[in-house]
Amino acid sequence: MSYVIRRVLQSVVVVFGVSIVAFFMLFMTGDPTEIILGDGADHMTVQQIEEFRVKMGFDRPWYIQYASFVGNAVRGDFGYSFTRHQPAFQVIIEKMPATIQLASIAFVLSLLISIPLGVLSAINPHKPIDRISTFVALLGQSIPSFWLSILLMLLFGVKLKWLPISGSGTWQHLVMPAIALAAFPIARNMRLTRSSMLDFMQKDFVRTARAKGISEYRVVTSHVLRNSLLPIVTAIGLEAGFLLGGSVIIETIFGWPGVGREIVQAIGSKDFYVVQAGVITLALIFAVVNLIIDLAYSWIDPRIGFGS
């Protein structure tokens, strides 16, 4: 129980740190009143601008504003979107299903491809399948996601005309964004699975299992793979945050109507309340997923206890 409490407190600290960054984003580029009003300030008198500043609370000391921001955020109140004309948190919640859908498909795709290929590489070292997998993994980690996205669009969208370039609504719209988003996790998990399994294959308990006549399939699945899962699960936990954060670029390129694209559009229109709501919501999801992964460690490896 103490471990769980400690991890929950650590997650709260992470979200608290993100809230500080999100709050001061509004002040880092200048007077928030002028930022929010934009060109509209040119058509307002000095008195009107000052009245707006008082109305928004920007005349108060920063620490009072931050305390008010945190208090409202805990209740789900991140302010009002000036472009959407609705609460900022509601804007993010409405876009969240699309982001979760894209991230979930990319997540499943990365696991279905990376783990089997990593296992095949580990049990066939220096053979053609291992060399091909290693080359694919290096390629996947080297190509930036935005460049891969453009290549996919040019090949499957423009040249072959198999898939729509942007938008949403059908499963075809998901194919290219999911591949672009899953490319890096596939490469990383593949290499991690291979290296972790190769390390455990040299352990004495694996040699003993083989000496007892246990089938190679059971040796690989029950002894090697399970013991290799801990670093893989750690990477998978971080991958959830990567997929949510990486979706900002992918969603913008492919016009996918998710939180990432909404945040980028909000930055362009200086709708910082939507940006704050989006950043904190994504950070909260990331912290919760990593907490779940940490608690799963003891099931994967009984030698790790909650008290450690």
Side-chain angles (χ1 to χ4, degrees):
M1 182 59 68
S2 61
Y3 174 81
V4 176
I5 295 175
R6 186 166 66 250
R7 286 295 295 114
V8 169
L9 291 177
Q10 290 173 353
S11 300
V12 171
V13 171
V14 170
V15 176
F16 175 74
V18 172
S19 73
I20 294 176
V21 175
F23 173 75
F24 281 103
M25 281 193 305
L26 192 61
F27 297 86
M28 288 164 55
T29 54
D31 185 355
T33 302
E34 296 179 0
I35 294 172
I36 293 175
L37 291 177
D39 295 336
D42 297 335
H43 306 288
M44 299 174 64
T45 64
V46 175
Q47 182 179 355
Q48 289 174 325
I49 294 175
E50 187 61 30
E51 289 175 354
F52 180 82
R53 180 180 285 107
V54 174
K55 177 183 176 181
M56 300 302 297
F58 295 143
D59 60 320
R60 298 176 298 174
W62 68 266
Y63 50 87
I64 295 179
Q65 293 185 52
Y66 177 70
S68 176
F69 168 75
V70 172
N72 292 332
V74 171
R75 299 192 299 270
D77 180 8
F78 289 90
Y80 201 78
S81 170
F82 297 103
T83 58
R84 298 292 184 179
H85 304 294
Q86 61 185 116
F89 187 61
Q90 183 179 339
V91 173
I92 297 302
I93 292 300
E94 289 177 354
K95 300 295 182 179
M96 186 60 69
T99 293
I100 293 177
Q101 182 185 26
L102 176 59
S104 299
I105 292 176
F107 180 79
V108 173
L109 184 64
S110 69
L111 294 183
L112 291 179
I113 295 177
S114 63
I115 303 300
L117 285 180
V119 172
L120 287 175
S121 295
I123 62 179
N124 297 285
H126 309 300
K127 293 183 179 180
I129 183 63
D130 181 36
R131 297 183 187 278
I132 294 174
S133 298
T134 301
F135 174 76
V136 172
L138 290 173
L139 195 64
Q141 288 186 301
S142 303
I143 299 179
S145 60
F146 70 88
W147 190 45
L148 177 61
S149 300
I150 295 174
L151 291 178
L152 291 173
M153 293 173 70
L154 290 175
L155 177 59
F156 296 107
V158 178
K159 183 72 174 178
L160 300 176
K161 299 185 184 301
W162 288 355
L163 298 169
I165 294 178
S166 64
S168 62
T170 65
W171 66 267
Q172 289 95 334
H173 289 93
L174 270 167
V175 176
M176 289 195 291
I179 293 175
L181 190 58
F184 183 83
I186 288 173
R188 181 183 58 190
N189 292 340
M190 190 190 306
R191 295 189 65 187
L192 184 59
T193 301
R194 178 185 183 275
S195 61
S196 183
M197 288 191 63
L198 286 176
D199 180 55
F200 276 97
M201 281 181 175
Q202 308 302 319
K203 301 294 185 181
D204 290 337
F205 70 88
V206 174
R207 297 193 185 96
T208 302
R210 284 174 173 155
K212 290 181 178 179
I214 298 177
S215 66
E216 188 65 17
Y217 174 80
R218 285 192 58 194
V219 170
V220 171
T221 56
S222 301
H223 293 75
V224 179
L225 182 57
R226 176 159 186 175
N227 285 282
S228 304
L229 280 179
L230 192 58
I232 299 172
V233 169
T234 302
I236 290 174
L238 296 174
E239 183 178 305
F242 168 81
L243 292 175
L244 289 171
S247 65
V248 173
I249 298 174
I250 302 300
E251 288 178 3
T252 303
I253 293 175
F254 289 100
W256 184 257
V259 174
R261 181 166 173 258
E262 187 66 32
I263 290 176
V264 172
Q265 290 179 340
I267 292 174
S269 59
K270 301 179 181 178
D271 198 347
F272 285 97
Y273 292 127
V274 173
V275 178
Q276 290 174 336
V279 169
I280 293 179
T281 301
L282 292 178
L284 182 61
I285 295 175
F286 177 75
V288 171
V289 170
N290 277 272
L291 176 62
I292 294 173
I293 294 298
D294 285 347
L295 297 181
Y297 281 174
S298 64
W299 176 80
I300 296 170
D301 189 347
R303 292 172 300 177
I304 299 178
F306 283 144
S308 59

